């Protein structure tokens, strides 16, 4: 078979479960992801970002090419992950989007990106309405981000059944990708004879057509990835060697086939960098260099499908998936998949967990249909369209949603009710995110997360009914027994880990009040997904205590609900708080309360102030432990600043007093005492970084000189400086100057970049040059050819010599192989820096 008839598609399923606190719409600190804030941030730095600017290096580890892997591979990103990337990793997000746009132009109008069902729900276990919403939201999210309609969609865990494929067909999806073990039998189009492939032996080198059972006129085309090679990527360390990776892919080629063949593999995208460090580089080498050398034509599923439509039809195993040999048992029962390596553990908890959520879902459907009829023309159609609000919660999108879906002449209170119903349904789908069942233990972070979505849905439902959903929900959940001694059952886990996470508007008001002691809030401010309006505010101090009395309006950006609150916040001498808060009653009541609390605070002991606060607000109050973890840490940092300053001064005095003696010890080749080293390290590091921070906006030669002296002093005393801040400052400055140079290729800008690298060497910093490399390679490196071409016809050939040399030196500083252009300089008889 001619080499041009051998095609290659590598698919990456990039996905992380939604991790946001359902009440804050933000991810809180996940200590297990340290030193990063959370797992999304960590995996982005290890995988998603590197794949957008992956490096191909030579034998000296110098960069010879930068590759956006997304431009060459087939991929899908979970919509909730893309939402996080858009806000928290905008450069990565932009490169992912641009890669698809580029691939559209290179593959006959077919992009590399595929859509995904919205929040990774196991589709065969979903009801029909959820199936449609998951697909519709996934498609709309894709259109919003990639600016085109998706041709294919990724099903969570490739879990599929006939009804799911009917939904795909009805929503205009052309194809999806499955495991070879999900195929049951196939036959040539028009043939009556089926061939059994139920043991995973279907030929993955071509597409197949699946005709919908309930409507045989409709169909969805299916690709089955090569299971053996895909498994090797994960388990045989193919990503440690690009050549080994390429050789393994050759095993997917067969001379026995008489049709154009597609070698296609599919794995978790996180394999390329997160699970295997530098796996993105092996992938870049494969797709950019080795695949073509080995006779592959790199393509994507949609392009291959257009060129070579299916000639066979296929039957699938109903309710099957790629990660459970028992169909979809992993998400509903103790099927034996994933014991987590713990002998004696079981997953009997899966069934009651699903039963509890199914109960809650069905109760909420009844509630929402009944209440929704008061506000919506068509509740379920409105739910499908609610994705446009989720994607961009601005005033325009919300008004448009109201205009298209709400009944006429509804007041603001009714609109809040309508939004709450939509949010009940959003949370009710998020609680089915597949990861909640995937792993071995119900007390894990993933099951707890989906239970938080359930708790949020229950809380929202309380606005519409007095019916107690939570009690029966927990009764069912109590049948889910933990494998860990002391964890109890699902009810215990809910009460221990979920209930404390429930956030009320009063807690948000407390957070604003406490934060106001350390931040100068304007009249309008925002914390998480809440807007605050400061209406009244009075702060008093007595000794080391403080009293704040105020009135604020709190508005949820999610439900649009507003609440008018008054609060009294007493900060004790030790730093903790007593914050009481209630709904605003009247101006006269507020003024009387403010006067009484002020008099009590100024004229009596604090115990009397607490008693008076209790009289006005009741006995419920909030303390520092009720503040969210991230904010608690920030506040504690503020509280302890004074104490830390004392320690700093002690270190500084110890260093100043002992400096001469310690120098003398070093001159005598004697060890410096550890106690002094600690003081010296702290003092010198602080002074060093302070001097560098003075250069953040503009280089100060005096500061640089003093910083170098400190560096030398630290070396003399055998003290390792903490240069983290200095490294960050110079990383930013280099990126800024490289970008400026890329916009205007001028000598003085090139000299400025090299000057920064000169300082980096003198200060012995360890800067992160990754983004500077990206800018240089994309915007400057290839311009060298243009400059040199223009010089070939220039009689005064040496006029631009200095500038060319500067650009090459910058490339060397960035560890980029510039040999190609150095060779051209040789031919032009121009000297260059080696």
């Amino acid at each position: 078979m001619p080499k041009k008839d051998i095609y290659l598609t590598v698919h990456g399923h990039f996905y992380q479960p939604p991790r946001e606190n359902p009440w804050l719409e933000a991810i809180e600190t996940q200590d297990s992801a340290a030193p990063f804030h959370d797992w999304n941030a960590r995996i982005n730095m290890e995988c998603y970002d590197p794949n957008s600017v992956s490096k191909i290096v030579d034998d000296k580890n110098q960069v010879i090419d930068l590759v956006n892997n997304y431009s060459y591979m087939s991929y899908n990103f979970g919509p909730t992950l893309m939402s996080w990337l858009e806000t928290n990793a905008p450069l990565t997000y932009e490169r992912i989007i641009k890669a698809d746009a580029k691939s559209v132009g290179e593959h006959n109008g077919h992009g590399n990106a595929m859509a995904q069902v919205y929040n990774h729900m196991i589709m065969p276990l979903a009801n029909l309405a959820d199936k449609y919403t998951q697909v519709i939201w996934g498609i709309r999210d894709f259109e919003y981000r990639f600016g085109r309609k998706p041709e294919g969609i990724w099903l969570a865990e490739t879990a599929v059944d006939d009804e799911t494929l009917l939904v795909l067909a009805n929503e205009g999806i052309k194809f999806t990708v499955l495991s070879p073990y999900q195929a049951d039998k196939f036959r040539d189009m028009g043939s009556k004879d089926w061939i059994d492939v139920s043991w995973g032996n279907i030929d993955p080198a071509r597409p197949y057509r699946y005709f919908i059972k309930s409507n045989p006129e409709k169909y969805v085309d299916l690709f089955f990835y090569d299971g053996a090679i895909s498994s090797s990527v994960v388990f045989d360390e193919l990503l440690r060697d690009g050549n080994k990776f390429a050789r393994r892919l050759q095993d997917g080629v067969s001379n026995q086939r008489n049709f154009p063949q597609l070698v296609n593999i599919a794995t978790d995208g996180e394999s390329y960098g997160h699970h295997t460090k530098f796996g993105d580089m092996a992938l870049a080498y494969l797709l950019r260099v080795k695949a073509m050398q080995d006779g592959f034509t790199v393509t994507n599923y949609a392009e291959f499908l257009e060129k070579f439509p299916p000639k066979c039809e296929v039957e699938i195993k109903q309710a099957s998936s790629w990660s459970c040999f028992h169909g979809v048992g992993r998400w509903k029962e103790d099927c034996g998949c994933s014991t987590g390596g713990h002998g004696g553990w079981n997953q009997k908890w899966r069934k009651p967990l699903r039963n509890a959520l199914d109960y809650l879902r069905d109760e909420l459907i009844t509630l929402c249909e009944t209440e929704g009829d008061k506000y919506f023309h068509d509740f379920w159609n409105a739910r499908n369209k609610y994705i446009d609000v989720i994607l961009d919660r601005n005033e325009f999108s919300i008004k448009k949603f109201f205009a298209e879906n709400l009944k006429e002449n509804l007041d603001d209170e009714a609109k809040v009710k309508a939004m709450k119903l939509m949010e009940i349904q959003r949370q009710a789908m998020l609680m089915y995110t597949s990861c909640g069942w995937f792993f071995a233990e119900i007390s894990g972070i993933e099951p707890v997360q989906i239970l938080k979505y359930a708790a949020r849905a229950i809380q929202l439902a309380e606005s519409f009914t007095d019916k107690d959903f939570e009690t029966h929900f927990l009764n069912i959940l109590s049948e889910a027994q933990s494998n860990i001694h002391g964890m109890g059952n699902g009810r215990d886990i809910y009460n221990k880990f979920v209930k404390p996470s429930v956030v009320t508007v009063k807690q948000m008001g407390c957070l604003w009040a406490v934060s106001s002691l350390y931040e100068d809030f304007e009249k309008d401010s925002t914390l998480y997904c809440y807007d605050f309006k400061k209406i009244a505010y009075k702060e008093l101090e007595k000794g080391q205590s403080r009293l704040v009395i105020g009135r604020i309006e709190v508005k949820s950006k999610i439900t649009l609900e507003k609440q008018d609150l008054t609060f009294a916040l007493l900060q004790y001498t030790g730093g903790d708080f007593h914050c009481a808060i209630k709904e605003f009653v009247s101006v006269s009541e507020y003024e009387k309360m403010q006067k009484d609390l002020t008099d009590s605070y100024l004229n009596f002991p604090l115990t009397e102030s607490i008693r008076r606060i209790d009289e006005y607000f009741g006995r419920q109050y909030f303390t520092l432990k009720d503040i969210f973890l991230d904010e608690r840490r920030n506040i504690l940092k503020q509280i302890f600043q004074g104490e830390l300053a004392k320690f700093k001064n002690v270190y500084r005095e110890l260093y100043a007093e002992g400096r001469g003696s310690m120098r003398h010890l070093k001159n005598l080749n004697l060890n410096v005492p550890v106690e002094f080293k600690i003081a010296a390290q702290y003092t010198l590091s602080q002074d060093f970084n302070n001097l560098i921070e003075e250069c953040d906006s503009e280089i100060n030669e005096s500061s640089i000189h003093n910083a170098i002296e400190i560096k030398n002093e630290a070396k003399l005393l055998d003290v390792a400086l903490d240069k983290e801040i200095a490294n960050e400052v110079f990383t930013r400055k280099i990126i800024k100057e490289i970008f400026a140079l890329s916009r205007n290729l001028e000598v003085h800008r090139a000299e400025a970049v090299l000057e920064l690298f000169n300082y980096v060497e003198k200060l012995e910093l360890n800067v992160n040059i990754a983004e500077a490399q990206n800018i240089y390679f994309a915007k400057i490196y290839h311009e060298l050819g243009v400059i040199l071409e223009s010089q070939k016809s220039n009689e005064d050939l040496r006029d631009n010599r200095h500038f060319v040399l500067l650009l090459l030196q910058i490339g060397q500083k960035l560890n980029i192989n510039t040999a190609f252009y150095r060779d051209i300089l040789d031919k032009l008889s121009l000297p260059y820096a080696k």
Side-chain angles (χ1 to χ4, degrees), residues 597-613:
L597 292 183
T598 298
D599 290 344
S600 173
Y601 176 72
L602 293 177
N603 299 307
F604 297 95
L606 292 185
T607 52
E608 178 63 19
S609 293
I610 293 173
R611 189 184 70 79
R612 297 292 288 163
I613 289 172

Side-chain angles (χ1 to χ4, degrees), residues 759-776:
Y759 291 136
V760 166
E761 291 171 5
K762 289 181 177 179
L763 294 165
E764 298 180 12
L765 301 180
N766 182 23
V767 295
N768 183 346
I769 61 173
E771 189 57 35
Q773 283 179 324
N774 302 339
I775 298 170
Y776 179 90

Side-chain angles (χ1 to χ4, degrees), residues 653-667:
E653 290 171 7
L654 177 60
Y655 168 71
E657 291 175 5
R659 179 185 178 193
S661 299
M662 297 309 107
R663 277 174 164 262
H664 185 58
L665 285 174
K666 288 300 294 182
N667 289 333

Side-chain angles (χ1 to χ4, degrees), residues 36-98:
F36 297 91
H37 177 271
D38 55 73
W39 278 102
N40 280 11
R42 178 169 178 170
I43 297 172
N44 176 60
M45 290 302 294
E46 294 174 347
C47 176
Y48 308 137
D49 184 65
N51 274 287
S52 71
V53 282
S54 192
K55 300 173 179 63
I56 298 178
V57 298
D58 60 18
D59 56 359
K60 296 179 181 177
N61 206 37
Q62 288 189 315
V63 178
I64 57 176
D65 201 359
L66 283 182
V67 181
N68 186 335
N69 286 342
Y70 305 115
S71 296
Y72 295 91
M73 70 188 303
S74 170
Y75 63 93
N76 74 278
F77 271 84
T80 53
L81 174 58
M82 281 295 272
S83 176
W84 183 90
L85 288 169
E86 182 181 20
T87 301
N88 297 280
L91 289 177
T92 306
Y93 177 84
E94 180 183 355
R95 290 192 282 257
I96 291 168
I97 301 299
K98 285 184 175 179

Side-chain angles (χ1 to χ4, degrees), residues 16 46 95 144 161 300 380 533 549 632 794 810:
Q16 290 298 304
E46 294 174 347
R95 290 192 282 257
Y144 170 81
D161 62 358
N300 58 46
W380 295 108
K533 181 176 291 184
I549 305 164
R632 193 187 315 159
N794 191 331
I810 292 171

Side-chain angles (χ1 to χ4, degrees), residues 19-29 37 528-529 630:
R19 307 178 190 278
E20 286 77 8
N21 179 313
W23 293 270
L24 304 179
E25 298 291 331
I27 302 177
E28 297 178 278
T29 296
H37 177 271
Y528 294 103
C529 56
D630 284 359

Side-chain angles (χ1 to χ4, degrees), residues 329-344:
R330 190 168 194 157
W331 299 277
K332 65 173 183 175
E333 61 198 11
D334 184 18
C335 69
C337 289
S338 182
T339 59
H342 298 276

Side-chain angles (χ1 to χ4, degrees), residues 293-306:
Q293 291 178 355
D294 288 356
F296 287 110
T297 298
V298 176
T299 186
N300 58 46
Y301 289 116
E303 182 186 37
F304 190 86
L305 189 61
E306 181 188 52

